[in-house]
Amino acid sequence: MDNFFAAISLFRRRKYDECIEVCNGLLLQQQPAQHNALHQGPWELKMRSMTQRVYIDDVEADDDVAEDILDTQTIATAPRPGTSIRTAKPMATATGTTATTAANRPRTGTGRPITGISRPGTLSLQRPGSTLGNRTAPRTASRTAGGSARQMRLGSASMFAAGDPTGPLFHISRLHPDKYADRDALSKPLFQYLYYHEGDIRKAMALCDAVLNRRRLRAGHGPDEQDELAQPRSGSARLDTGSDWWWNTQKARCLIAIGCPREAEPYLRKALQELLHPDVVLLLARIYVKIDQPMAALEVCRTALEKLPNEIVLLTQQARILELVGNLTTSVRRYRQIAVLDPMNTEALACIAVSYFYANQPETALLYYRRILALGAHSAELYCNIGLCCLYGGQLDLVFPCFQRALRMATGSELRADIWYNLSFVAMTTGDIHLARRCLRLCIAANGSHGSALNNMAVLVARQKQYHKAKSYLVAARTALPASDEIGHNLKFIENFQ
């Protein structure tokens, strides 16, 4: 078999490391006279393999805006209820009361109601009984839950240069984007290499500008001609009126990565005019979420769903945004629609199970969790959720085996602390106060800033009339959860006995 054909076969089978080794051998075997004719194929294939090896699909990353406290691009400092993510509260029902799931569901440290799954970009401040593990997506082979291109690891030093297999593929600082602007077959892989492998957002954006400028010149527009939209940044290309949707999308992706979401909006709008692609809609919705305009993000998804009905990713985005603003009832309705369209969607199944659990229907929630378990999603969070459902459903013989399995599968200290906290609640429910105290001590040993465990430990210590010790626990709990009304009430109650 020809070595280059073997390298292509390895690339198609996603064996990127082996493909890179074969390409290295091809580059070593080529003579200087054959360089121009035979080098481009292995060179480009190696570049694509190195990109796919570290590829991160960042369409859904960085979706948590609660920690962007220094973001100056938000326009509403006191938004109306139900229109902001930062001040989201459970929405009222038609009778003027909040839904049961919204009222009973605990919230994270940022005020977000806990969900049935942990998503890319979310904080790790959730209790077990809420998360199901990272959601997987079948669109890419090496897709991981991570941050944007600013958080990607840089490429290794094992890149090869033409004629020098021990050197870099090319020198990034010497790269002239205009040289590759007309080479459509090479410009796209080169952009992905710069963006995903090297993490050089500025150089990738310069390549986008060069391609957009060249396409505008092809369309007959002069370089100084005024466009309808203002130039987003000095030195960058104006919005092209004749390019395809892909380059406008990548230009917007770069602007989002460097923290300029508003300047990326016109590029995405232009891309949607050329092609209604779900990824473009998700990026545009992500922009509105980052600037705290969830209603605009919902409108973008709704408009896209009119032309792309029953698109799973758009329905999922709608459900997540509705969950962010506190409209849990409508969010669960969207997840039910997703579960009908895709019965194997673990995110939808987990969120529906959580809604049933906090609506005092643990038996129904247990059916959904067992269905997820049958799909092969084994995780510590899942077994913890099943254990809690068995506790409230009266199946006490299954509670402790589920928690034992969860503790064996727990990897991080925070996750282990959450499992011990839930196990202490199981012990208090069954009346074993001694076991509850031991579980709380193990929880605090794993995570010393677990506010709920510190509060419960203070209550147990106060029952033994050790008020000074209880007060120290409550002070530490208030430091961990300063917005908790329960901790403040307990602290005032303890101060009356001193």
Side-chain angles (χ1 to χ4, degrees), residues 87-115:
T87 59
K89 295 181 179 180
M91 297 185 65
T93 59
T95 59
T97 60
T98 57
T100 304
T101 56
N104 296 339
R105 183 180 298 187
R107 294 176 174 268
T108 65
T110 59
R112 170 187 292 185
I114 64 173
T115 60

Side-chain angles (χ1 to χ4, degrees), residues 234-395:
S234 59
S236 61
R238 298 186 180 91
L239 182 61
D240 181 30
T241 58
S243 65
D244 59 359
W245 68 276
W246 195 86
W247 285 106
N248 282 324
T249 304
Q250 305 313 314
K251 173 69 174 181
R253 190 190 300 270
C254 293
L255 290 171
I256 295 174
I258 64 176
C260 303
R262 289 188 179 276
E263 296 161 356
E265 180 183 357
Y267 288 91
L268 293 176
R269 290 290 184 182
K270 178 60 179 177
L272 286 178
Q273 293 177 6
E274 298 171 352
L275 178 65
L276 184 60
H277 195 278
D279 283 354
V280 183
V281 179
L282 292 178
L283 282 174
L284 187 58
R286 173 181 164 187
I287 287 177
Y288 289 125
V289 170
K290 288 182 72 68
I291 62 178
D292 199 13
Q293 295 184 15
M295 296 297 106
L298 289 174
E299 180 63 23
V300 169
C301 295
R302 186 193 64 80
T303 304
L305 283 170
E306 292 178 355
K307 299 181 180 180
L308 299 174
N310 298 332
E311 180 66 37
I312 298 296
V313 293
L314 299 182
L315 291 173
T316 304
Q317 184 69 15
Q318 269 194 334
R320 292 175 180 176
I321 297 173
L322 290 168
E323 193 175 66
L324 288 175
V325 299
N327 192 350
L328 302 179
T329 304
T330 309
S331 175
V332 172
R333 191 180 304 121
R334 288 288 184 273
Y335 281 122
R336 292 182 186 277
Q337 184 179 355
I338 295 170
V340 172
L341 297 172
D342 184 11
M344 299 182 65
N345 192 300
T346 57
E347 178 178 355
L349 296 175
C351 291
I352 295 172
V354 168
S355 67
Y356 274 118
F357 179 82
Y358 289 110
N360 298 323
Q361 299 183 37
E363 297 86 358
T364 308
L366 185 59
L367 294 177
Y368 281 92
Y369 282 127
R370 286 181 174 177
R371 182 176 174 182
I372 297 171
L373 189 63
L375 295 176
H378 298 270
S379 64
E381 295 91 339
L382 179 59
Y383 283 105
C384 183
N385 293 352
I386 294 176
L388 291 174
C389 291
C390 292
L391 172 67
Y392 284 94
Q395 304 180 27

